[in-house]
Amino acid sequence: CRADGGGQSIPSFAANGNTWRTLPFDWFRSALPRTYCLVDRPVATGDTMKPHTMKHRTHVFVLSFLIIAGAAFAGVGLWIPMKAALAQILLEKAWQETRQGNSKVRPNMPAKPWPWADTWPVAKLTMKGESLYVLADAGGQSLAFGPSHARGSASPGTAGTSVIAAHRDTHFKPLRHVQLGDVVKIERPDGISHSYKIRHTWVLETSNLILPRQDGTDRVILVTCWPFDSKIINPKQRLAVLAERI
């Protein structure tokens, strides 16, 4: 066979099984890719697939699989920050309803961000010029939607030590750039706001994480996974940022 054609004619086996006819090679070039090799005999039903054809199909399959897998992983990577951003929009609406006493559950009760939610916003946290709505419980599911208050610690914006946790790659990403002396603000549902100045930062093992003793000091501790650049999903260290009320 020839790859360049060169005006060669290709014999073709007619449908009746016993008559040969000749077709110009240029006709086949217009109908088939140049990489195909045309043979001068009919292909019998029992012919086996050529090795180079099997190798080509294997490469196509592997390439297709890698493209699909890459698209799937990219979709997951984009979905996480998109979900986090969308949740904050819904939480802002629920926060305003709570502030105005327009809860759809019943008056003077926190408004839920979506009908099936088992949590609600309890505070508005502002740092580095960005406002985030803090959820009622720092459970694993709540952290996907926003910073969450650790059950057992003081309510945000009240006397005592309040602990708020969030993911390092979404809502608490700004903690990467905080410095001693920076100020964070917390607003309560009743509209009262307090400012807190960052005094200390620590990197702690998860085995050493315990709720601080309540001694009446008004402060907040922000917690996220450490280090920020780690590819480990659930590392064994946490960054703790302590801020005291001013």
Side-chain angles (χ1 to χ4, degrees):
C1 61
R2 297 176 60 184
D4 57 354
Q8 180 183 3
S9 297
I10 302 298
S12 174
F13 200 60
N16 59 17
N18 55 16
T19 303
W20 288 85
R21 57 192 178 89
T22 301
L23 295 176
F25 191 92
D26 290 341
W27 182 90
F28 285 90
R29 290 184 62 192
S30 64
L32 296 174
R34 294 175 62 88
T35 54
Y36 277 76
C37 180
L38 302 178
V39 296
D40 60 353
R41 63 179 181 84
V43 179
T45 305
D47 281 359
T48 58
M49 186 179 294
K50 293 183 178 297
H52 73 276
T53 304
M54 295 180 63
K55 185 176 181 181
H56 172 73
R57 292 188 176 182
T58 301
H59 288 170
V60 171
F61 173 79
V62 172
L63 179 60
S64 300
F65 174 80
L66 291 176
I67 293 175
I68 294 173
F73 281 112
V76 172
L78 291 174
W79 168 242
I80 293 175
M82 287 175 59
K83 179 173 66 173
L86 177 60
Q88 285 294 304
I89 295 175
L90 298 176
L91 285 167
E92 180 181 10
K93 182 176 181 294
W95 175 257
Q96 296 299 333
E97 292 178 355
T98 299
R99 288 284 313 276
Q100 298 169 8
N102 296 331
S103 173
K104 296 180 180 179
V105 180
R106 61 177 183 267
N108 301 322
M109 289 293 294
K112 293 185 176 182
W114 42 90
W116 60 90
D118 57 358
T119 186
W120 52 89
V122 296
K124 180 180 178 180
L125 172 67
T126 302
M127 63 175 174
K128 291 292 184 181
E130 181 178 356
S131 294
L132 301 167
Y133 296 92
V134 181
L135 291 166
D137 181 23
Q141 294 183 346
S142 297
L143 290 175
F145 304 110
S148 301
H149 168 243
R151 184 182 304 174
S153 66
S155 297
T158 63
T161 301
S162 177
V163 179
I164 300 174
H167 288 310
R168 63 187 167 181
D169 55 352
T170 52
H171 301 105
F172 269 6
K173 196 174 183 178
L175 286 184
R176 183 186 189 121
H177 305 292
V178 297
Q179 298 178 349
L180 298 182
D182 286 352
V183 175
V184 300
K185 295 182 179 181
I186 292 181
E187 180 182 346
R188 304 187 321 207
D190 58 8
I192 297 177
S193 298
H194 296 299
S195 296
Y196 300 78
K197 181 175 289 188
I198 296 177
R199 302 293 191 188
H200 304 283
T201 61
W202 301 277
V203 174
L204 304 172
E205 300 292 329
T206 54
S207 58
N208 295 331
L209 288 177
I210 58 174
L211 289 176
R213 183 181 61 183
Q214 300 293 342
D215 56 5
T217 303
D218 192 358
R219 56 194 171 194
V220 60
I221 299 178
L222 309 177
V223 180
T224 193
C225 291
W226 177 269
F228 283 95
D229 295 326
S230 175
K231 301 301 181 182
I232 301 175
I233 296 178
N234 188 21
K236 296 182 179 181
Q237 293 181 316
R238 297 292 185 269
L239 172 66
V241 178
L242 182 143
E244 297 180 345
R245 180 178 168 183
I246 55 178

